[in-house]
Amino acid sequence: MAIKKVTVAGSGVLGSQIAFQSAFKGFDVTVYDINQEAVNKAKDRIKNLRHAYHRDIAASDEEFNAGISRLKYTDDLAQAVSDADLVIEAVPERPDIKHDFYKKISTLAPAKTIFASNSSTLVPSMFAADTGRPKQFLNMHFSNQVWLNNTAEIMGSSETDPAIYNEIVQYARDIGMVPIQLKKEQPGYILNSLLIPFLDAAEKLWINGVADPHTIDRTWIVATGAPFGPFGILDAVGIRTAYNITAASLPDNPGLQPILDKLKELLDEGKLGQESGEGFYKYPNPEFKQKDFLKG
């Protein structure tokens, strides 16, 4: 089956990016979220990608507008998946929400539909039974700023049909990604298996009072030449996503509770990261992009 119609369920930071990148590359895309308010935010979030596509990949207004023209929006789940060849799930990183979501769409989507989760840390075998189509279910994880950081990590379960896996590999290529093909299930795939311990280490330095977030980031940027540090990364990923990932890891690592508490404080203050205009930094002009930041 050739994938033509794509539904992205969940229109947060990454869901919106996945949806637009797919439309930008020629696919008809439906963006679904739970209510009209969330849908309206998605429309604004996607429209605001124009500058980044201009700046980073020299996309013309004509090309960007063509991508916009291929997008539809809805808060009706049945309508969203009614004729989808592929549903990409980008709902919050909470097992209960994902279990419920797959149980719902298993009865709403046609038999042809492939389901792919963009989960950051949860493996497909956790939800395969909920989908009602374990052979047509796998994970496909994207990095933030998908138009620049072009990885799509593809991970099946032991039940995933190899032909479906290969079809998703081709889809990843078709939307401009580099398909990273995992041979077995791994929580966190390759990227997050490397990234999450790095972020945990930075957060522990912070909560233990060793240094503040800006000093930790400054150290990393100056010493390695990286464009930003761990707390800049957390703002880009989104504090809510970081909170959910940490919460999911808590049963196996209770030492993460102080980090979870500090992230909760930020959420309670409405500091969601880049999405809200403030997290560990203020946006659109965070301190780490200013020349004096590196001088200490």
Side-chain angles (χ1 to χ4, degrees):
M1 181 189 77
I3 294 171
K4 295 179 180 177
K5 296 183 179 180
V6 179
T7 295
V8 178
S11 64
V13 173
L14 203 49
S16 294
Q17 292 180 16
I18 296 166
F20 183 71
Q21 180 69 16
S22 298
F24 183 72
K25 290 294 185 176
F27 289 85
D28 293 324
V29 180
T30 298
V31 181
Y32 163 80
D33 219 315
I34 56 174
N35 55 46
Q36 194 58 46
E37 180 183 3
V39 167
N40 290 338
K41 287 181 179 180
K43 291 178 181 178
D44 291 338
R45 196 175 282 122
I46 288 174
K47 288 177 183 176
N48 289 336
L49 292 174
R50 183 183 296 271
H51 174 68
Y53 272 72
H54 284 344
R55 179 194 64 214
D56 296 334
I57 61 171
S60 67
D61 278 330
E62 183 179 12
E63 290 169 327
F64 191 89
N65 292 339
I68 292 289
S69 72
R70 299 185 191 104
L71 291 166
K72 295 189 297 184
Y73 298 85
T74 184
D75 60 358
D76 183 325
L77 184 57
Q79 181 184 50
V81 303
S82 63
D83 194 29
D85 298 317
L86 170 65
V87 173
I88 301 174
E89 169 265 303
V91 305
E93 192 74 351
R94 282 178 42 186
D96 58 331
I97 293 176
K98 292 184 188 292
H99 281 302
D100 182 61
F101 175 78
Y102 284 115
K103 287 174 182 176
K104 285 179 180 176
I105 65 168
S106 68
T107 63
L108 297 174
K112 67 174 182 177
T113 310
I114 299 169
F115 296 163
S117 176
N118 181 54
S119 173
S120 300
T121 56
L122 307 172
V123 296
S125 59
M126 291 179 63
F127 308 102
D130 299 325
T131 70
R133 58 192 76 195
K135 292 183 178 181
Q136 292 164 233
F137 177 58
L138 71 172
N139 282 16
M140 178 169 51
H141 178 254
F142 295 81
S143 298
N144 194 36
Q145 295 186 310
V146 301
W147 63 93
L148 268 182
N149 303 322
N150 310 116
T151 57
E153 296 181 280
I154 301 166
M155 175 169 64
S157 75
S158 60
E159 297 182 272
T160 304
D161 184 335
I164 297 295
Y165 186 101
N166 290 335
E167 193 161 354
I168 295 302
V169 168
Q170 184 58 51
Y171 170 76
R173 291 194 177 107
D174 289 343
I175 62 169
M177 300 295 107
V178 176
I180 308 298
Q181 301 180 51
L182 276 70
K183 297 180 179 179
K184 60 187 295 186
E185 288 191 329
Q186 166 64 35
Y189 311 78
I190 297 171
L191 179 61
N192 281 332
S193 292
L194 298 170
L195 179 61
I196 289 174
F198 170 64
L199 298 180
D200 286 348
E203 290 168 312
K204 287 176 183 176
L205 290 170
W206 169 44
I207 64 169
N208 289 334
V210 175
D212 61 81
H214 289 197
T215 300
I216 295 166
D217 277 8
R218 183 180 299 113
T219 303
W220 187 256
I221 293 168
V222 174
T224 68
F228 36 66
F231 292 95
I233 293 172
L234 285 165
D235 276 353
V237 169
I239 306 303
R240 185 187 295 109
T241 297
Y243 178 88
N244 288 335
I245 291 172
T246 304
S249 303
L250 197 62
D252 296 324
N253 192 351
L256 296 176
Q257 185 64 55
I259 294 175
L260 196 68
D261 293 341
K262 294 290 278 188
L263 294 175
K264 182 64 162 56
E265 289 178 15
L266 291 173
L267 293 177
D268 289 344
E269 294 170 7
K271 297 178 179 178
L272 309 182
Q274 288 185 18
E275 178 181 4
S276 67
E278 185 174 3
F280 292 99
Y281 298 91
K282 293 183 178 180
Y283 297 87
N285 298 305
E287 292 92 326
F288 63 79
K289 287 190 176 181
Q290 299 169 16
K291 290 182 179 180
D292 289 344
F293 180 80
L294 300 182
K295 295 178 181 179

